[in-house]
Amino acid sequence: MLRPILIHPDPRLKKLADPVTDLSDDLRAVASDMLETMYDAPGIGLAAPQIGLSKRLIVLDCVKAEGEAPRPLAMFNPEVIASSDETSVYEEGCLSIPEIYAEVTRPAEVEVRWMDLDGKENQEVFTGLWATCVQHEIDHLDGKLFIDYLKPLKRQMITRKMVKLKRERAREKA
Ligand code: ZN
């Protein structure tokens, strides 16, 4: 089932999300909805707060090459446990901030620990686009958006654009 994605600014995107303590079938269903919503958007990552759920759950799939098998990942309580000194710059976007892209510098490599859909603990080192994406999504769980890395003036400009976009969308719906 597709879930509506919240658009910035929204107080629910600024909240610290709660850890998942009980991995229920309901939450597994939410993860599956989130993957469906992400692929449909289309996007390469989605965090639970973006659908209005304040839980530490993210989904991602950064496989981009044509013909390469998809790799849908659902992570509960993901945590960066190590990051490289080396950084990389990617032009980031966000499904909660449509049509806005900006360069963000982050560690080039991160080691992440998370619980998977079976409740099993996983640990993996991510590089390249995967590293950027997983950090971007984990930020969402801490109420942080990629525009928070930009200069205040740029951030304010983007926020004003989003306020306008939300107003237009609300009008279209009315
Ligand atoms: Zn995002």
Side-chain angles (χ1 to χ4, degrees), residues 7 11 29-30 40 87 111 120 128 160 168:
I7 304 296
V30 171
D40 178 74
T87 58
E111 187 164 15
K120 225 179 67 209
R160 275 199 299 273
E168 280 164 10

Side-chain angles (χ1 to χ4, degrees), residues 2 5 31-46 59-64 68-74 95 130:
L2 293 180
I5 298 172
S32 141
D33 283 354
M34 282 171 60
L35 278 165
E36 193 185 338
T37 304
M38 176 192 84
Y39 286 124
D40 178 74
I44 58 172
L46 188 67
V59 297
L60 64 161
D61 183 351
C62 303
V63 171
K64 278 209 307 196
E68 206 178 319
R71 192 193 175 203
L73 278 180
L95 294 176
W130 284 90

Side-chain angles (χ1 to χ4, degrees), residues 45-47 50 92-97 136-137 140 144-146:
L46 188 67
Q50 291 180 277
E92 296 190 21
C94 180
L95 294 176
S96 293
I97 312 173
H136 173 124
E137 300 311 328
H140 273 297
K144 194 166 183 182
L145 302 171
F146 83 92

Side-chain angles (χ1 to χ4, degrees), residues 58-169:
I58 63 172
V59 297
L60 64 161
D61 183 351
C62 303
V63 171
K64 278 209 307 196
E66 282 290 323
E68 206 178 319
R71 192 193 175 203
L73 278 180
M75 300 181 171
F76 298 90
N77 303 329
E79 223 185 317
V80 173
I81 52 173
S83 37
S84 64
D85 292 332
E86 191 202 330
T87 58
S88 66
V89 180
Y90 267 98
E91 186 161 73
E92 296 190 21
C94 180
L95 294 176
S96 293
I97 312 173
E99 282 156 50
I100 303 285
Y101 301 91
E103 287 190 338
V104 177
T105 305
R106 299 181 187 269
E109 272 188 39
V110 286
E111 187 164 15
V112 178
R113 182 160 57 203
W114 75 95
M115 184 169 68
D116 66 19
L117 285 163
D118 300 317
K120 225 179 67 209
E121 195 174 276
N122 283 260
Q123 205 163 307
E124 188 174 326
V125 175
F126 292 97
T127 60
L129 182 60
W130 284 90
T132 288
C133 183
V134 76
Q135 292 175 79
H136 173 124
E137 300 311 328
I138 291 174
D139 272 354
H140 273 297
L141 306 180
D142 297 324
K144 194 166 183 182
L145 302 171
F146 83 92
I147 56 169
D148 293 329
Y149 292 92
L150 310 178
K151 295 209 171 72
L153 220 69
K154 178 119 194 245
R155 188 165 62 236
Q156 285 157 20
M157 201 184 74
I158 293 169
T159 300
R160 275 199 299 273
K161 253 189 207 167
M162 289 302 113
V163 169
K164 208 173 139 222
L165 177 83
K166 285 173 81 168
R167 212 184 291 139
E168 280 164 10
R169 286 191 178 178

